[in-house]
Amino acid sequence: MENILDLELAIARKKRLLAGGRPIATFLMERTADELGERLATVERRFADCAAIHCLTPHAALAMRASGRAGNVSRIEPDPVFLEGGAGFVSDGEHLPLKPESLDLAVSLLALHEVNDLPGALIQIRRALRPDGLFLAAFAGAGTLEELRHCLLVAETEITGGASPRVLPFADVRAAGALLQRAGFALPVADIETITVRYADMFALLRDLRQMGATNTLFGRLKRPTGKQVFLRAADLYAERFADPDGRLRATFSLIWLSGWAPDASQPKPARPGSATMSLAQALKDQDGK
């Protein structure tokens, strides 16, 4: 499989933020961690051995502990710098240091859109879960930064006569749900949360993305600097097409939430085909009272 993301570059850019004394912007992570805590609170059980995988900040691990549902929580990060001197493990690229059936709960927040092999990552996590272990994840999906993608594409085409890839190809929620099943998860669920963030102008959005370390790491990206005219034209298009009545600009972040369980005999099973005791027609007839 051909890789489309330069993962070493993606990590290096995030490390430079920390090395320069500029913390990674965390407003999306904070909101997502809050949602994680709410989702865990609805699960009527406690998980002994848990891991927060490639979340880059401590927010996910803190939310897991605060939920009251997680016992021992370990952090797994792609580089020691993200552990900030705390305890945890370091993985090598997309190969996770997880032993088979070693976890009861695995969580990944805002990371899985930056892997080249999403099916492989899900399979690794599935194998690391004990029977009836839970996996929860949130990552950027289709529709994320669609306004920015559109404006940059139109502006670059107008000015240079062509366009280079600038925004990641995000997964569709239905495809993500299908990948859960393919990876062997039971009771898979995929849903989407749309978050709209508003900015004074397009350049304020670009500053936030740089502060997240979320800049273009596609192998197919333009390798030379983009002319200033492209960004100025894109900013004008953004203001023309995606402004609210008060003049502020919308930026969409579509977060796909995944949940799945490692198969276990105690879990509910779908009925066997042909085992129904009443036909659909009869059920509808009874409901209508006819």
Side-chain angles (χ1 to χ4, degrees), residues 64-83:
M64 294 163 73
R65 296 187 182 106
S67 72
R69 298 293 190 262
N72 177 49
V73 179
S74 299
R75 288 182 60 191
I76 301 172
E77 298 295 356
D79 191 274
V81 68
F82 301 111
L83 294 171

Side-chain angles (χ1 to χ4, degrees), residues 140-214:
T144 295
L145 298 176
E146 191 58 40
E147 304 92 347
L148 180 63
R149 182 198 303 269
H150 169 80
C151 294
L152 288 172
L153 175 64
V154 173
E156 190 173 12
T157 301
E158 284 183 5
I159 293 172
T160 70
S164 58
R166 295 183 179 275
V167 178
L168 301 185
F170 298 112
D172 174 82
V173 63
R174 288 174 294 183
L179 287 178
L180 272 181
Q181 291 182 304
R182 175 179 166 185
F185 285 97
L187 310 175
V189 176
D191 62 272
I192 194 158
E193 177 189 14
T194 300
I195 299 171
T196 302
V197 183
R198 304 201 313 150
Y199 290 92
D201 53 42
M202 187 191 78
F203 296 104
L205 167 60
L206 294 179
R207 285 193 293 272
D208 259 2
L209 293 176
R210 282 195 294 271
Q211 199 64 21
M212 295 179 199

